[in-house]
Amino acid sequence: MESKINFMDAIDLLEWQLELGVTETIGNQEINRYLEVKPKSENKVKANIASSGKKVRAEPTLVASSMASAANSLDDLVQAISSFDYCDLKKGARNLVFSDGSPHAKVMIIGEVPDLEEDMIGKPFVGAAGQLLDKMFNAIGYGRSLSDTALYLTNVVPWRTPQNRSLTDDEMEVLKPFLVRHIQLVQPRFLIVMGNTPIQVLLNESRITKLRGKWKTFSGIPTLPMLHPSYLLRNPLAKKETWEDLKMLKVRLGEDL
Ligand code: URA
């Protein structure tokens, strides 16, 4: 028998979807996800885990670690992340936001989470925060173009969150192996970690306003925590501190301003 819902229930359902982060309808056909074939690389990882005698039930972080360490190039890593099905953020995102700039850059910047603009275009830092970031680094002669003074940019996670909510600890944990592998493949001379999310994931620290400007090390790479450009847009007076950090980076790069 055909079931009908009344107008008020339909409104409630729509509101519930908005709360979950649905921003547009993309199809009117139901998809039976149970019939979807798992990507090959993921099946291979599960087979390896099974044959190694470990638990057959795939543990998301373990799957992510195996897939990440099997990636021998940035292209491999993009493939691995694209076929990783254990993070629900992927389902709500339009695009995978992997990186921008030169993979040969001396300076690699790690941001937090892609926003709406980044999700639409598939590149990190293309919205208002990204424009400020470009201005900041251009002021010390660095930019996204392929040159000696190039930057390379990525984020802690490659998918936007529903309604720009903060990442959960689980999401950070599960996706961390891809970020760590990304850094290993790029091998920058310096890492810049912008905002609370990357300092939590990579340095196990929590307060960027306290940590900014204090050099740390991640996996042997000198790492400078800096205020996130979104924070600077909300707190323009803090730009002064960021300018000090940029000058310090310039000195570490062995360059004059
Ligand atoms: N904020 C980030 O941290 N990364 C982006 O790509 C955009 C905004």
Side-chain angles (χ1 to χ4, degrees):
M1 203 172 80
E2 193 185 330
S3 70
K4 288 200 175 136
I5 57 170
N6 66 35
F7 178 75
M8 293 317 287
D9 285 349
I11 295 282
D12 283 351
L13 276 171
L14 267 176
E15 275 175 2
W16 178 63
Q17 291 193 18
L18 285 173
E19 257 171 48
L20 288 177
V22 174
T23 48
E24 67 181 49
T25 50
I26 50 172
N28 54 11
Q29 293 266 308
E30 282 174 25
I31 301 171
N32 186 345
R33 302 272 177 208
Y34 292 103
L35 294 180
E36 284 185 347
V37 179
K38 284 275 168 242
K40 263 198 205 125
S41 53
E42 191 188 311
N43 283 337
K44 224 191 299 167
V45 169
K46 279 188 188 159
N48 287 346
I49 293 168
S51 67
S52 71
K54 296 197 185 103
K55 268 198 299 182
V56 178
R57 163 113 180 67
E59 167 70 40
T61 311
L62 194 57
V63 175
S65 296
S66 308
M67 290 172 83
S69 55
N72 289 319
S73 67
L74 292 175
D75 285 345
D76 284 356
L77 191 62
V78 173
Q79 285 303 317
I81 300 172
S82 310
S83 60
F84 182 70
D85 275 343
Y86 293 90
C87 179
D88 283 347
L89 295 179
K90 178 179 169 182
K91 294 182 194 151
R94 279 189 188 78
N95 281 302
L96 172 80
V97 179
F98 185 68
S99 69
D100 197 17
S102 165
H104 306 294
K106 288 183 230 165
V107 180
M108 179 170 182
I109 296 177
I110 318 283
E112 303 199 303
V113 188
D115 228 323
L116 178 65
E117 289 94 336
E118 288 77 20
D119 179 50
M120 308 267 272
I121 293 173
K123 283 190 178 173
F125 287 107
V126 292
Q131 284 159 24
L132 178 56
L133 181 146
D134 285 337
K135 274 195 203 150
M136 285 157 45
F137 281 87
N138 289 349
I140 59 161
Y142 275 69
R144 301 188 195 209
S145 58
L146 307 178
S147 70
D148 281 357
T149 54
L151 295 172
Y152 185 74
L153 297 96
T154 191
N155 282 308
V156 165
V157 300
W159 297 295
R160 93 175 271 221
T161 54
Q163 298 189 315
N164 296 344
R165 66 154 170 77
S166 305
L167 288 172
T168 64
D169 287 350
D170 262 11
E171 286 160 350
M172 291 188 224
E173 169 81 21
V174 165
L175 296 171
K176 181 175 172 180
F178 294 118
L179 175 64
V180 172
R181 187 70 187 138
H182 201 161
I183 297 168
Q184 285 168 349
L185 289 169
V186 174
Q187 291 190 302
R189 264 183 62 200
F190 297 104
L191 271 178
I192 308 291
V193 281
M194 289 188 140
N196 278 320
T197 315
I199 64 166
Q200 179 179 342
V201 173
L202 296 178
L203 303 174
N204 210 13
E205 296 273 1
S206 61
R207 295 188 60 193
I208 189 63
T209 45
K210 289 261 176 297
L211 207 68
R212 62 138 282 271
K214 300 192 172 94
W215 282 95
K216 301 279 165 191
T217 304
F218 173 76
S219 199
I221 305 170
T223 300
L224 182 63
M226 279 178 62
L227 297 172
H228 194 282
S230 302
Y231 176 88
L232 296 176
L233 289 172
R234 296 190 303 272
N235 302 278
L237 289 180
K239 286 183 186 168
K240 199 165 152 270
E241 292 162 3
T242 296
W243 179 235
E244 296 306 316
D245 298 345
L246 287 166
K247 285 195 288 186
M248 201 158 55
L249 172 66
K250 190 76 173 162
V251 171
R252 283 293 286 265
L253 283 157
E255 298 164 11
D256 293 329
L257 211 51

